[in-house]
Amino acid sequence: MKLQGIKPIENMTQVDRIEMNLHDYFRNENFLPGDSIPKEIELAEAMGVSRTAMREALTRFKTLGIIESKKNRGMVITEPDVLQNMNRVLNPQLLHQDTMQDFFELRLVIELGIADLLYVRKTDEDIKKLEEIVDKENAAKSKAEKLKWDIEFHATLYKISGNQTIERFQRTLMPVFDYMKNTLHIRSQEQTADYVSHKVLIQILKTGTVEDFRQGMYKHLMQYFEQIK
Amino acid sequence: MKLQGIKPIENMTQVDRIEMNLHDYFRNENFLPGDSIPKEIELAEAMGVSRTAMREALTRFKTLGIIESKKNRGMVITEPDVLQNMNRVLNPQLLHQDTMQDFFELRLVIELGIADLLYVRKTDEDIKKLEEIVDKENAAKSKAEKLKWDIEFHATLYKISGNQTIERFQRTLMPVFDYMKNTLHIRSQEQTADYVSHKVLIQILKTGTVEDFRQGMYKHLMQYFEQIK
DNA sequence: TATTATTAATATGTATTACATATATACATC
DNA sequence: GATGTATATATGTAATACATATTAATAATA
């Protein structure tokens, strides 16, 4: 049986073991962001390995954003940026088509799911901002400009959700969504019978219920949901 | 202005620059998973740096799962496992409380959002499986056992969604959710007036609409949604 | 001939040593 | 007190050597 992210111990390298040791060490010593850790040589000697190997293990933690190092200042534990890490590997060129489809769906799932957050946190100012965007969208002449304001509209919704992580997550997913849009055969919105425009969505946000909004958003994104089988 | 994930070039180390170069190189050469890349020394020489520095840059890519190396076989480009990377850094001990709250909310958002996927992909077998779980849950004596089947129920829903990434994502979020459950002051389900049980959710899944299900799920998770302000 | 055993070549993994460099600290100078 | 200088320090980079797993070529065997 082959599990994801687990490699057989027999072909584990020394650095792999050092990494595990460090992981336990950080955990057991209850290190928190801001805490400084022993210097490279001390760690290497304490573990009975060369500085080279220790550095390689430390590099892994640095890569993940779990520790940071500065010349002569030593190393400190840091709060990893989950989304940044995701950003670095979410590369359409490298990922399998199925995975891309999964993230494509995830974006739709979130777009519908944030309705509740919106209704808890929306303010009159937010609505006003959305309306301004729609005005600019309608005034836009080129297709590219329209698209720009379309994206801005949805980005603003994410902002209104008050959830920074979800907002950043969505931005991270944008290239994926873009890629899938080009890959899948997606027809234009106007061809849909009961298409819900941004303007209508705002209206629902002002006077409708959460349920209304979700249904509206579903219809607004209908062209994409059709891709799900 | 300070942006996330960007460091001023003046205090960029040489390895940082090597990493960027490699990144461009991989991209421009259109390397795909499975393709092998030049060996360490060649890369180092081509870039005019020591093998040491090159190795450190390569270690970063290895850490992210973008390349893999084997003794004498050289290195090959691999498909990074986005979720695995996330798993390594989603550590409640290290993350800020706000971030944890964000992920807590994200889990709820997804739980509601997958309704559409469920209705597209559910089968009679899936329903049967859910019913079996609920039976076991009701037959369970200890609180721990009940919790286990509760988790199993939701995990199965994710499985039914047919989206492996979302399914794994949810598993990744579990520790966060667990942590938040202990941190926040969450009352028990039974205290809710119009509480919707797993049994009812299944019933909706069988005869109700997507909207019904979403409303049901919302009520089922009411105790958690109350934490959102 | 087919198969196995042995050997040599190869690229990564680890160790050692040395030095560069940014930063902090202490000290000296104005 | 502010500024400049010297020194110590921990990480960053380089160079070199060797260990080790794996491949490929070669030799030995049936």
Side-chain angles (χ1 to χ4, degrees):
Chain A
M1 184 154 110
K2 207 182 165 192
L3 290 180
Q4 280 154 326
I6 295 184
K7 68 168 78 176
I9 49 173
E10 67 248 27
N11 50 20
M12 248 205 300
T13 122
Q14 185 182 216
V15 175
D16 288 331
R17 267 169 283 149
I18 298 176
E19 185 189 358
M20 289 176 63
N21 271 9
L22 282 178
H23 198 275
D24 291 348
Y25 172 62
F26 294 154
R27 186 172 201 80
N28 294 335
E29 295 289 308
N30 259 75
F31 279 122
L32 298 179
D35 294 346
S36 59
I37 60 176
K39 52 195 192 190
E40 294 176 346
I41 311 177
E42 283 175 9
L43 287 172
E45 281 173 356
M47 227 176 268
V49 297
S50 72
R51 193 182 154 216
T52 310
M54 176 55 69
R55 263 185 75 83
E56 185 163 332
L58 288 169
T59 295
R60 297 187 185 178
F61 286 96
K62 290 183 206 165
T63 303
L64 295 172
I66 292 175
I67 68 180
E68 255 178 24
S69 59
K70 268 185 186 163
K71 275 211 163 105
N72 188 39
R73 290 213 36 179
M75 298 176 287
V76 294
I77 302 287
T78 53
E79 181 184 348
D81 187 333
V82 185
L83 272 296
Q84 187 196 323
N85 276 316
M86 188 173 243
N87 226 344
R88 293 172 80 174
V89 295
L90 218 98
N91 180 349
Q93 194 181 344
L94 296 181
L95 294 179
H96 197 278
Q97 193 70 14
D98 295 350
T99 307
M100 299 290 282
Q101 170 79 22
D102 281 357
F103 280 110
F104 175 78
E105 292 176 10
L106 179 52
R107 201 263 199 175
L108 294 178
V109 163
I110 294 177
E111 197 93 35
L112 278 199
I114 57 167
D116 292 277
L117 295 183
L118 292 180
Y119 271 75
V120 171
R121 292 173 178 156
K122 69 186 160 81
T123 68
D124 292 346
E125 271 182 69
D126 293 331
I127 306 284
K128 200 174 294 174
K129 195 168 176 187
L130 287 174
E131 284 170 335
E132 283 171 20
I133 292 171
V134 171
D135 285 345
K136 284 175 187 160
E137 187 186 7
N138 291 335
K141 289 174 288 289
S142 70
K143 210 161 189 173
E145 205 185 343
K146 266 190 197 302
L147 180 63
K148 182 188 141 202
W149 291 114
D150 177 25
I151 292 172
E152 182 70 17
F153 180 86
H154 287 274
T156 304
L157 281 183
Y158 280 96
K159 202 161 287 176
I160 296 173
S161 81
N163 188 313
Q164 272 218 342
T165 302
I166 296 183
E167 186 193 341
R168 290 185 59 208
F169 190 42
Q170 186 261 0
R171 240 204 304 280
T172 298
L173 289 182
M174 288 251 314
V176 178
F177 205 70
D178 243 45
Y179 175 85
M180 291 302 283
K181 248 166 100 170
N182 295 331
T183 303
L184 302 170
H185 194 73
I186 302 204
R187 59 181 173 70
S188 80
Q189 301 175 322
E190 289 71 25
Q191 291 175 24
T192 317
D194 50 355
Y195 173 64
V196 171
S197 68
H198 287 164
K199 204 180 177 74
V200 176
L201 280 178
I202 295 177
Q203 191 53 41
I204 297 175
L205 211 47
K206 282 161 86 171
T207 62
T209 68
V210 178
E211 281 307 311
D212 295 334
F213 186 82
R214 269 200 288 256
Q215 282 187 21
M217 183 57 87
Y218 181 85
K219 283 175 186 159
H220 178 66
L221 299 172
M222 179 68 93
Q223 27 162 193
Y224 302 114
F225 275 105
E226 281 172 355
Q227 299 299 327
I228 297 175
K229 296 151 199 153
Chain B
M1 185 152 114
K2 207 183 162 192
L3 289 180
Q4 279 153 328
I6 296 183
K7 67 168 76 177
I9 49 173
E10 67 249 25
N11 50 18
M12 246 204 303
T13 118
Q14 183 181 218
V15 175
D16 288 331
R17 267 170 281 149
I18 298 177
E19 185 190 355
M20 289 176 63
N21 271 10
L22 282 178
H23 198 276
D24 291 348
Y25 173 62
F26 294 154
R27 187 173 201 80
N28 294 335
E29 295 289 309
N30 258 76
F31 279 122
L32 297 179
D35 294 347
S36 59
I37 60 175
K39 52 195 191 191
E40 295 176 346
I41 312 176
E42 285 175 9
L43 288 171
E45 281 173 356
M47 227 175 267
V49 297
S50 71
R51 194 182 154 215
T52 310
M54 177 54 69
R55 262 186 76 83
E56 185 163 331
L58 289 170
T59 295
R60 297 186 184 177
F61 287 95
K62 290 183 205 166
T63 303
L64 295 172
I66 291 175
I67 68 180
E68 255 178 24
S69 60
K70 270 185 186 162
K71 275 214 163 102
N72 189 40
R73 290 212 36 180
M75 297 175 287
V76 295
I77 301 287
T78 53
E79 180 184 348
D81 186 332
V82 185
L83 271 297
Q84 188 196 322
N85 277 316
M86 188 173 244
N87 226 344
R88 291 171 82 175
V89 295
L90 216 96
N91 181 350
Q93 194 181 343
L94 296 181
L95 295 179
H96 196 280
Q97 193 70 15
D98 294 351
T99 307
M100 298 291 282
Q101 170 79 22
D102 281 357
F103 279 109
F104 175 78
E105 291 176 9
L106 178 52
R107 201 262 199 174
L108 295 178
V109 162
I110 294 177
E111 197 93 36
L112 278 200
I114 57 166
D116 292 277
L117 295 183
L118 292 179
Y119 270 76
V120 171
R121 291 172 178 157
K122 69 185 160 82
T123 67
D124 292 346
E125 270 181 70
D126 292 330
I127 306 284
K128 200 174 294 173
K129 195 169 177 186
L130 287 174
E131 285 171 334
E132 283 170 19
I133 291 171
V134 171
D135 286 344
K136 283 175 187 160
E137 186 186 9
N138 291 335
K141 289 174 288 286
S142 70
K143 209 162 189 174
E145 205 184 342
K146 265 189 199 302
L147 180 64
K148 182 190 141 201
W149 290 114
D150 176 26
I151 292 172
E152 182 70 17
F153 181 85
H154 287 274
T156 305
L157 282 183
Y158 281 95
K159 200 160 288 175
I160 296 173
S161 81
N163 188 312
Q164 273 217 342
T165 302
I166 296 184
E167 186 193 342
R168 289 184 60 207
F169 190 41
Q170 186 261 1
R171 240 205 303 280
T172 297
L173 289 182
M174 288 252 314
V176 178
F177 205 71
D178 242 45
Y179 175 85
M180 292 302 283
K181 248 167 101 171
N182 294 330
T183 303
L184 301 171
H185 195 73
I186 302 206
R187 59 179 173 70
S188 80
Q189 301 174 321
E190 290 70 25
Q191 291 176 23
T192 318
D194 51 355
Y195 172 65
V196 171
S197 68
H198 288 163
K199 205 179 176 72
V200 175
L201 281 178
I202 295 177
Q203 192 53 42
I204 297 175
L205 212 48
K206 282 161 87 171
T207 62
T209 69
V210 178
E211 281 306 312
D212 295 335
F213 186 81
R214 270 201 285 257
Q215 283 187 21
M217 183 56 88
Y218 180 86
K219 284 175 186 160
H220 178 66
L221 298 173
M222 180 66 95
Q223 27 162 193
Y224 302 114
F225 275 105
E226 282 172 354
Q227 299 299 327
I228 298 174
K229 296 151 202 153

